[in-house]
Amino acid sequence: MYQFQNEGLIDWAGPLLQGALVTLEIAVLAYAIGLLLGLLGALAKLSRVWPLRLVAAGYTTVIRAVPELLLIILLYYAGSQALNALLRSLGMDGAVDISGFVAAIAVLAVVQGAYMTEVFRGAILAIPRGQLEAAQAFGMPPWLCFRRIVLPAMLPNALPGLSNLWLILIKDTALVSVVGFEELFFTTQQAAASTRAYFTFYAAAGALYLAITLASNVLFRRAEALVRRGQATG
Amino acid sequence: MDFSWLANPSYLAYLWQGFVNTLILVALSGTAGFVLAVGVALAQIVGPRPLRWLARGYTTVIRGTPLLVQLFFFYDGVGRLLPLIPGVRESFLWPVLRDAFFYGVLAFTLSVGAYVGEVLRGALASVPVGELSAARAFGLSGVQVLWRIWLPRAIQICLPTLTGEVILLLKSVPLVSTIAVMDLLKAANLVRDETFLVYEPLLLVAGIYLALTLVLTTGMRALEVRFPGVKPGRV
């Protein structure tokens, strides 16, 4: 018993770093899916088909008005129930461990997608119309126009919003600890409870998150310089 | 969907208490956080160098770490160390320091101070210098310039952004359910534990938040329209 009390930050450094790695994993995957959802959402919002616009508007309004923690709990229950039913129907009962990971990513991606929809919509609307009309006049099919004109022209507009969303996502990953998913904050809580050194461990977790966000800031600044190359510096 | 549990007065009492606590939390930490934000923004613009660094460091740390971690840091980390200080248990502040609600208000206030501080810093910096010089030329003192010209102009510039910050504050309130404060989410969790209904209480709370956000956006929009010279924001 006495030995357990002697555990400190050093003994938990491994699990904490492991947790930080899991946090980064789910963040990167959720971000990638969120980007896709955001692009689809923005295209739906800007489309001529009104049912698409309606669905996209409902998606962004509801997701952005309901607290993230509430959404995560709600979607986590609903999502893992659906996933388990699916796996059972496929005869794969053993894959329960995976479902927690998948559900965590799915929930975060759905939330991110709603905010990204707004970022992409604004960025696409900010492209000068003449560029799109010129592309059409050249006879570019829609997909080629999207790939060659819309995407490169809107990225500089979208990147500040996207970098902001990445930082929000890193901080939101802590919320999936509430539904018992083992990432950085969940491991921290276990470590703090087991060593009773609450102050130390929460400060350490804070430092790890801060390191991730500060490093992300540097990377996003580089990315912004990259997509803005060729633009006049003002 | 089974909402028959709403007929039970004790569940309604949970929800009502959670609702009231949510509003109190937003009002308290929103007000205190705004005052802090003005200080943080001013410290970064006109403060002496050490104060400027302090404000910058505070903003970076708060905005770079999850609010949930901050909440547990103050509640579990600082909160458990406080009783070790001699005399704290006997002091008149102890009933407050023992209460999880206090740590919720503390963490949210610091959070609002950092996020709104950044917004205000940008807004204060973008008030045209000529207006401030004109105010000085009219013989207003430094405090008067701040109070009558600089701050009102800055708020005018960033009011739509402030609306967004208030909504973000409202949406972070469910976090306090994790430190055992009775909010709407905690109420939903209690109902779930007693009735075994998973989705209904959560969906109801989600609906309440949807309505609250709508009321808040409309209210702030009305404020923006009445505030001279503000372009109402897109929400």
Side-chain angles (χ1 to χ4, degrees):
Chain A
M1 191 63 200
Y2 183 67
Q3 277 182 334
F4 282 110
Q5 303 252 324
N6 255 346
E7 279 185 320
L9 200 53
I10 307 291
D11 306 276
W12 280 91
L16 281 187
L17 289 176
Q18 178 68 35
L21 203 64
V22 175
T23 287
L24 275 177
E25 271 172 26
I26 52 174
V28 167
L29 287 169
Y31 196 65
I33 302 171
L35 282 174
L36 203 66
L37 284 176
L39 268 180
L40 290 176
L43 292 179
K45 274 205 159 181
L46 297 171
S47 100
R48 292 205 190 98
V49 190
W50 69 264
L52 278 181
R53 284 205 303 269
L54 195 71
V55 170
Y59 169 55
T60 54
T61 309
V62 171
I63 297 287
R64 295 190 313 151
V66 177
E68 279 78 6
L69 183 61
L70 197 61
L71 277 177
I72 281 173
I73 294 178
L74 202 57
L75 293 177
Y76 199 89
Y77 281 131
S80 43
Q81 204 174 2
L83 206 66
N84 279 333
L86 184 74
L87 288 175
R88 213 171 299 127
S89 70
L90 293 172
M92 294 161 62
D93 266 338
V96 182
D97 278 351
I98 306 219
S99 77
F101 188 69
V102 173
I105 291 169
V107 167
L108 291 171
V110 167
V111 175
Q112 281 280 306
Y115 288 89
M116 284 184 179
T117 299
E118 292 301 320
V119 169
F120 281 134
R121 195 184 73 103
I124 292 175
L125 283 177
I127 302 174
R129 272 211 71 78
Q131 296 194 10
L132 304 179
E133 283 164 3
Q136 268 177 349
F138 271 106
M140 276 195 189
W143 171 241
L144 192 68
C145 172
F146 179 77
R147 201 159 51 88
R148 291 244 181 104
I149 313 292
V150 174
L151 210 55
M154 72 142 182
L155 266 184
N157 303 331
L159 213 62
L162 292 183
S163 99
N164 230 348
L165 284 177
W166 167 255
L167 297 180
I168 292 176
L169 175 60
I170 289 290
K171 289 178 268 171
D172 272 357
T173 54
L175 299 182
V176 294
S177 68
V178 174
V179 282
F181 184 72
E182 248 179 275
E183 39 64 75
L184 175 53
F185 188 59
F186 191 85
T187 314
T188 308
Q189 285 182 302
Q190 283 183 319
S194 133
T195 57
R196 312 198 67 68
Y198 292 91
F199 188 89
T200 318
F201 276 99
Y202 289 129
L208 279 173
Y209 280 109
L210 193 61
I212 297 177
T213 47
L214 289 181
S216 312
N217 273 339
V218 175
L219 289 180
F220 268 102
R221 217 164 295 145
R222 290 227 180 127
E224 200 170 335
L226 186 74
V227 294
R228 279 195 191 283
R229 74 194 184 286
Q231 276 194 349
T233 46
Chain B
M1 288 289 139
D2 174 15
F3 281 98
S4 55
W5 50 274
L6 276 173
N8 187 326
S10 72
Y11 296 155
L12 278 182
Y14 289 158
L15 285 169
W16 177 247
Q17 204 197 333
F19 181 73
V20 171
N21 279 348
T22 300
L23 294 188
I24 295 177
L25 208 59
V26 169
L28 276 182
S29 41
T31 317
F34 186 78
V35 174
L36 181 65
V38 173
V40 169
L42 283 177
Q44 287 189 68
I45 297 178
V46 292
R49 194 164 287 174
L51 206 59
R52 203 175 299 180
W53 285 339
L54 190 71
R56 177 80 50 83
Y58 156 74
T59 318
T60 310
V61 169
I62 295 286
R63 300 200 322 152
T65 52
L67 184 51
L68 189 63
V69 176
Q70 293 163 20
L71 206 55
F72 275 83
F73 176 78
F74 289 117
Y75 176 64
D76 263 349
V78 177
R80 280 176 201 259
L81 292 183
L82 281 180
L84 302 181
I85 304 170
V88 167
R89 262 179 201 282
E90 288 75 34
S91 83
F92 69 98
L93 278 175
W94 183 240
V96 176
L97 294 175
R98 206 176 44 184
D99 190 3
F101 194 81
F102 163 74
Y103 293 96
V105 174
L106 177 68
F108 285 1
T109 301
L110 291 176
S111 175
V112 171
Y115 284 96
V116 174
E118 273 303 282
V119 174
L120 273 181
R121 184 176 65 90
L124 284 171
S126 60
V127 173
V129 183
E131 293 182 20
L132 305 180
S133 317
R136 289 313 292 262
F138 268 105
L140 294 186
S141 72
V143 177
Q144 279 177 321
V145 172
L146 173 68
W147 198 240
R148 297 240 179 111
I149 312 288
W150 205 10
L151 200 55
R153 279 289 277 137
I155 294 174
Q156 188 183 39
I157 289 170
C158 66
L159 199 57
T161 319
L162 290 182
T163 308
E165 294 294 332
V166 176
I167 288 168
L168 284 182
L169 171 63
L170 172 71
K171 292 201 312 172
S172 42
V173 169
L175 293 181
V176 295
S177 68
T178 56
I179 57 168
V181 173
M182 184 65 147
D183 80 314
L184 283 167
L185 179 57
K186 180 82 186 165
N189 287 341
L190 286 175
V191 174
R192 184 186 63 211
D193 292 345
E194 290 174 27
T195 59
F196 302 110
L197 291 168
V198 177
Y199 297 109
E200 287 87 344
L202 286 174
L203 284 174
L204 179 74
V205 172
I208 295 175
Y209 268 101
L210 207 61
L212 274 178
T213 319
L214 206 70
V215 169
L216 215 61
T217 337
T218 331
M220 290 297 278
R221 184 68 65 85
L223 194 71
E224 284 168 20
V225 172
R226 288 169 55 109
F227 213 99
V230 174
K231 280 193 221 136
R234 188 176 57 79
V235 178

